[in-house]
Amino acid sequence: MTHPRPRAGKGLAARRGALGGEAGRPALRPRPWATVLARLLGGLCLACMVLAPAAALAVELSPPEARYVAERGVVTLCVDPDWPPFETIDAAGRHVGIAADLLGLVAERTGLRFTLVPTASWDESLEAARQGRCRALSFLNRTPQREQWLAFTRPLLSDVNVFITREEHAFIADPGRLAGETIVFPSGTAMEELIRRDYPNLHILTTASEDEAMAMVSDRQADMTMRSLIVAAYTIKKRGLFNLKIAGQLPYYSNNLGLGVVGDDRTLIDILNKGIDTITTAERAAIENRHVSINVQTVTDYGALAKVLGAVLALAALGGAWAIKVKRLNTALRREIERREELERMREDVEQIIRHDLVTPLSGLIGIPELLETEENLTPQQRELLRHAATSGRRMLATIRLAGDLARMEKGTYHVAKADCDVLGIIRDARVNLDKLFAVKGLAFAVSLDGRPAGAEDRAPARGDANLLGNLFENLLKNAAEASPQGGEVAVDIRLPEGMVAVRNRGQVSPDIVDTFFEKYVTRGKTFGTGLGTYSARLIARAHGGDAVLELGEPDHVTVRVLLPGLKDAR
């Protein structure tokens, strides 16, 4: 399948299963006794699962959920027909693989009935779901594009993605530093979507299947692919692609493979989540081991066997040497990953200490002008300077604290403390902070609310963090003002029913940064530009459950639309 997929493509691409035969994962050349033992244990676990009383694992449904299962419990399902060992459609037209077994447990415990809608490819499955021919898609990751038309369950299975290259390729510590290299994905995968967004320096190729992607790397038609560990181990062993290796891993690019439900059927999502929650770690491991285990066929022509015995022994020796080498490589990879994780923790600790050490003296400095303002012998000019010093100090303090918040947003660990606020008032305050810039360029400023000029008494109520939203809109207004021609206008249009705020200015975006407009450190034409304004604006919008998008449909105008669900929630 292709999914972030996020698979290295259905999910981001790496799956569980190490190439080097670490504990709990298959080795590239498993010894016969290890293979037999793994099969026996996997079969025993599955047998226990089957023999266990179904009633003991059945989920408890609410009366509305029970009615839903009785009346609408048949769920048409589209799958990836060619994504072994995760899922395939076999010659008899059945859904088989890890995903099929996990969904079988969900169906047994919830009463839902999954009905397969046969397709020839993952792209066809996506199109069938969009056309309403199936209600759900199996085993895929969330991506911003998919969340526009699918609702997602909790993960059925989580896994990691790794870079797969030929043996001679260097270790990939930072793919952003690679130049002129190609990476291949099965068509339509989520990993392809994320790599296109985050690493435009890589030239992306697409192909029809997992096997073809791995073969293109092996045959030097591509420099690398990014796949699940489970899929990589399965494909390398199945096809004997032993000139390939694990060459690195991207933090945060993991697969969390769940079900995607077309539309917003919350009742179905809740029932599916209850079924998923009953699946234990032992059950997942047993299913994985069952499907990842590979049969190594041996020659049964005993007449010919005598003639090739010497070659077999030589191959066995080479296989043993290869297994040792792979184990060493995987050990080195684990150590490198651990080292980099430790460096990242140290960097975060240092940044946190610096922020803390700046906040304490700065708080004291802010108090000095506030204390001096109480003196009676000050001139109006002196009082204005003191107020300006205090205001600047408070803004600096807010910027330091915001840096920590943005770091947590990047890692997905930040939770916005939402409260009632007024977006219109926040935008007006941001404009006041930019008075000097607007005055120097002679810029006009206009704000409209639901298609009419905003009045002094108007409000745009929302649920959000006023400080974060203030930073978001001040960055966008500042960018719009800097990009506007002398004597131009910056216009803001607030649409409450749509939960949207548009910031518009005259000007153009350089064509070479249109696709990377919201990415970190991307800037053009600014002497002191850092490329962090639009990046942080989008981070804050996404932390509020929304997004920021660039529109260039109108000639010689640039519009940034900020989607804020909190605007609609507060109405």
Side-chain angles (χ1 to χ4, degrees):
M1 251 164 150
T2 57
H3 303 12
R5 163 161 146 159
R7 207 172 157 157
K10 240 183 169 180
L12 285 171
R15 307 300 182 248
R16 294 167 57 126
L19 296 181
E22 297 173 358
R25 296 184 170 90
L28 285 179
R29 292 185 179 270
R31 297 179 180 177
W33 63 265
T35 303
V36 172
L37 179 59
R39 290 180 188 159
L40 287 174
L41 290 175
L44 181 60
C45 291
L46 287 174
C48 292
M49 289 157 52
V50 171
L51 295 174
L57 295 173
V59 300
E60 183 177 347
L61 301 178
S62 66
E65 290 171 340
R67 272 196 311 275
Y68 184 99
V69 171
E71 296 171 2
R72 301 185 59 198
V74 176
V75 180
T76 50
L77 181 71
C78 285
V79 306
D80 190 331
D82 182 28
W83 197 22
F86 286 137
E87 60 181 359
T88 60
I89 297 178
D90 67 10
R94 296 170 302 186
H95 182 211
V96 296
I98 293 174
D101 288 353
L102 291 171
L103 290 177
L105 295 179
V106 172
E108 177 185 353
R109 296 169 187 181
T110 61
L112 294 171
R113 287 88 69 200
F114 293 105
T115 300
L116 179 66
V117 177
T119 57
S121 68
W122 176 240
D123 286 337
E124 184 180 337
S125 291
L126 291 173
E127 186 59 29
R130 291 191 182 97
Q131 293 174 356
R133 289 164 48 202
C134 49
R135 294 170 60 191
L137 287 160
S138 73
F139 243 45
L140 74 169
N141 283 294
R142 293 173 182 257
T143 69
Q145 290 184 2
R146 289 174 180 168
E147 287 180 327
Q148 294 176 13
W149 64 287
L150 293 172
F152 288 86
T153 66
R154 286 191 276 274
L156 281 156
L157 182 73
S158 294
D159 192 15
V160 296
N161 295 301
V162 292
F163 286 109
I164 304 297
T165 68
R166 290 181 299 281
E167 170 117 351
E168 67 271 15
H169 197 288
F171 179 83
I172 301 173
D174 180 5
R177 295 183 178 180
L178 300 177
E181 298 208 19
T182 56
I183 183 167
V184 60
F185 294 105
S187 176
T189 68
M191 183 51 43
E192 174 195 346
E193 178 184 330
L194 295 180
I195 292 295
R196 281 189 190 278
R197 183 193 71 188
D198 296 340
Y199 295 97
N201 55 300
L202 295 177
H203 179 58
I204 294 179
L205 306 175
T206 58
T207 187
S209 69
E210 296 278 354
D211 283 356
E212 288 181 22
M214 299 286 280
M216 285 180 68
V217 179
S218 179
D219 296 341
R220 300 180 179 276
Q221 298 176 42
D223 294 307
M224 71 192 80
T225 185
M226 175 171 269
R227 311 301 326 129
S228 150
L229 277 176
I230 287 179
V231 171
Y234 179 93
T235 305
I236 287 174
K237 290 190 291 182
K238 174 185 173 185
R239 298 196 53 170
L241 304 175
F242 298 121
N243 65 330
L244 301 183
K245 69 174 183 180
I246 296 175
Q249 175 186 349
L250 275 179
Y252 318 124
Y253 277 59
S254 296
N255 297 302
N256 294 297
L257 303 171
L259 284 161
V261 176
V262 178
D264 191 21
D265 192 340
R266 298 311 308 173
T267 302
L268 178 56
I269 291 290
D270 291 342
I271 295 170
L272 290 168
N273 280 335
K274 286 184 177 181
I276 292 169
D277 290 344
T278 67
I279 301 175
T280 66
T281 301
E283 288 172 330
R284 286 188 174 92
I287 290 172
E288 286 179 32
N289 290 335
R290 175 188 176 192
H291 288 281
V292 174
S293 178
I294 304 296
N295 290 329
V296 179
Q297 299 297 324
T298 57
V299 177
T300 57
D301 185 342
Y302 296 104
L305 182 60
K307 299 178 182 179
V308 297
L309 182 58
V312 170
L313 292 174
L315 288 174
L318 288 174
W322 171 257
I324 294 172
K325 182 174 183 179
V326 169
K327 184 176 181 180
R328 289 174 178 171
L329 289 172
N330 280 348
T331 300
L333 174 62
R334 283 198 311 276
R335 289 174 178 170
E336 177 65 14
I337 292 173
E338 290 169 358
R339 185 184 72 84
R340 290 179 178 275
E341 288 176 346
E342 179 62 24
L343 289 175
E344 179 66 15
R345 285 192 293 269
M346 291 174 61
R347 182 186 66 81
E348 292 174 356
D349 289 344
V350 170
E351 289 180 353
Q352 187 173 357
I353 292 170
I354 291 173
R355 286 195 295 268
H356 177 271
D357 289 349
L358 285 174
V359 165
T360 301
L362 185 58
S363 299
L365 289 174
I366 293 172
I368 294 174
E370 292 176 343
L371 181 63
L372 290 175
E373 275 191 273
T374 62
E375 297 293 329
E376 297 180 356
N377 60 342
L378 298 176
T379 66
Q381 184 180 12
Q382 290 171 332
R383 291 186 185 279
E384 180 61 27
L385 288 173
L386 289 173
R387 279 193 294 271
H388 178 71
T391 300
S392 297
R394 283 190 290 271
R395 290 184 64 189
M396 185 181 298
L397 184 62
T399 300
I400 294 170
R401 287 171 174 162
L402 177 66
D405 294 341
L406 292 177
R408 291 193 293 275
M409 290 179 199
E410 288 180 319
K411 294 189 293 184
T413 60
Y414 185 82
H415 298 286
V416 176
K418 295 183 179 180
D420 292 336
C421 58
D422 175 19
V423 168
L424 179 56
I426 289 171
I427 291 172
R428 284 173 168 160
D429 289 344
R431 165 63 184 83
V432 170
N433 292 338
L434 299 170
D435 266 344
K436 184 175 180 180
L437 174 59
F438 274 71
V440 168
K441 300 195 71 173
L443 299 177
F445 180 68
V447 184
S448 61
L449 181 64
D450 291 336
R452 60 175 178 79
E457 302 301 321
D458 283 333
R459 296 182 73 253
R463 293 282 298 170
D465 185 314
N467 289 329
L468 290 177
L469 292 177
N471 180 273
L472 183 158
F473 287 113
E474 185 167 335
N475 275 323
L476 293 184
L477 290 178
K478 182 173 181 288
N479 279 1
E482 290 174 340
S484 294
Q486 194 76 21
E489 180 184 69
V490 175
V492 177
D493 181 19
I494 303 173
R495 300 281 177 165
L496 295 179
E498 302 170 28
M500 182 276 296
V501 179
V503 179
R504 179 174 172 270
N505 64 278
R506 287 185 58 193
Q508 295 180 338
V509 176
S510 177
D512 62 328
I513 66 168
V514 168
D515 293 335
T516 57
F517 185 75
F518 289 102
E519 293 186 9
K520 208 171 189 178
Y521 309 128
V522 174
T523 184
R524 287 291 184 279
K526 298 181 183 179
T527 304
F528 300 104
T530 63
L532 294 175
T534 53
Y535 172 76
S536 64
R538 185 174 65 172
L539 269 182
I540 293 170
R542 288 181 172 178
H544 281 77
D547 206 348
V549 296
L550 176 67
E551 292 187 359
L552 302 173
E554 187 177 355
D556 298 323
H557 284 82
V558 178
T559 301
V560 175
R561 292 187 181 275
V562 180
L563 308 177
L564 288 175
L567 271 174
K568 294 187 289 186
D569 295 344
R571 296 181 74 234

